[in-house]
Amino acid sequence: MSVEKVAVVVAGGSGMGAAAAKRLATDGFKIAILSSSGKGEALAKELGGLGVTGSNQSNDDLQRLVDLTLDRYGRIDVLVNSGGHGPRAPILEITDEQWHTGMDVYLLNVIRPVRIVAPQMVKQKGGAIINISTAWVVEPSPMFPTSAVFRAGLAAYTKIFSNTYASDNVRMNNVLPGWIDSLPTTDERRDSVPMQRYGTSEEIAATIAFLASEGAGYITGQNIRVDGGIIRAI
């Protein structure tokens, strides 16, 4: 008898997180969503899954999501970590409080749910964790200083995690979107992309779906750019 696969999407109420939830549901996953707006609960209901309204900055909310998922489905095969937007300002004008907020939004948004979900995946001897990061990890942009700094930390965290848990068949990878249609559109940003267009949330979701699939079973610890060619580092 085939096992029903289950995906948890954190911050999945809108944008790329919501697109990932929809794509994974189309691929046959049972879906559980956390979002702070209530949109995640509505989307989860639409997809035949379960939703929790809460914050990815709350360990209690994340634990509630995981407990409900395990109570209903008995397993978690995929964890997708999305997130919101952190503080933006010239780098010397960012306050201590804003740097701490950036860490919550761009680094601890992954560390908290992974700490709760990964032991279940180790117990199952399998799982895939996919984090939505940013294309500007390799070439940091002054437009997004807190994102660039803490998502560079996320890249390091991902390597350490992968080194530790690859032998348990628990994989972690980061998807690095460039200019995506869930962001405000400007001619200047579009023209900076070699493909001369914004990417779509659905394209990011398709990359996530691949990394969640058996076809990506030998991929872990990677930062995969999906940016229309805007960053072309080795």
Side-chain angles (χ1 to χ4, degrees):
M1 188 173 78
S2 62
V3 175
E4 212 167 44
K5 294 295 183 75
V6 181
V8 170
V9 182
V10 175
S14 60
M16 292 179 279
K22 293 175 185 176
R23 174 57 189 265
L24 290 168
T26 298
D27 288 353
F29 284 86
K30 295 296 183 182
I31 302 297
I33 300 174
L34 177 79
S35 77
S36 59
S37 65
K39 293 179 181 178
E41 277 200 62
L43 177 58
K45 184 177 180 181
E46 177 187 324
L47 298 174
L50 69 88
V52 169
T53 296
S55 171
N56 63 359
Q57 297 182 30
S58 165
N59 286 306
D60 290 342
D61 290 346
L62 289 162
Q63 188 68 59
R64 183 158 56 100
L65 172 71
V66 171
D67 288 345
L68 287 170
T69 303
L70 292 175
D71 285 346
R72 179 176 294 191
Y73 300 120
R75 61 187 297 114
I76 297 173
D77 300 281
V78 172
L79 170 64
V80 178
N81 291 308
S82 186
H85 300 284
R88 292 173 55 187
I91 194 164
L92 294 183
E93 297 177 16
I94 301 171
T95 65
D96 285 5
E97 182 179 4
Q98 288 173 317
W99 280 115
H100 282 290
T101 298
M103 182 170 66
D104 271 333
V105 171
Y106 295 125
L107 179 58
L108 289 173
N109 74 305
V110 170
I111 291 173
R112 289 190 188 100
V114 168
R115 194 163 49 209
I116 297 171
V117 172
Q120 174 64 29
M121 291 181 168
V122 170
K123 181 180 176 182
Q124 295 168 183
K125 284 297 180 181
I129 300 170
I130 302 115
N131 309 313
I132 299 176
S133 183
T134 178
W136 288 273
V137 166
V138 176
E139 295 291 341
S141 167
M143 285 186 289
F144 310 108
T146 59
S147 171
V149 168
F150 289 113
R151 281 169 161 164
L154 175 59
Y157 175 85
T158 297
K159 290 179 181 180
I160 294 169
F161 181 93
S162 299
N163 286 342
T164 306
Y165 291 105
S167 62
D168 293 299
N169 196 33
V170 179
R171 302 180 292 109
M172 180 184 287
N173 294 288
N174 300 325
V175 174
L176 279 51
W179 296 119
I180 302 299
D181 60 5
S182 60
L183 299 169
T185 303
T186 70
D187 291 343
E188 181 183 7
R189 290 176 179 178
R190 185 195 64 232
D191 293 345
S192 71
V193 181
M195 293 188 75
Q196 295 291 286
R197 67 173 178 87
Y198 272 55
T200 68
S201 295
E202 289 72 25
E203 287 171 318
I204 299 302
T207 305
I208 290 169
F210 168 66
L211 290 171
S213 73
E214 291 181 2
Y218 203 50
I219 300 174
T220 193
Q222 304 303 312
N223 294 283
I224 298 174
R225 290 187 289 275
V226 188
D227 62 2
I230 197 167
I231 305 293
R232 295 175 296 282
I234 294 175

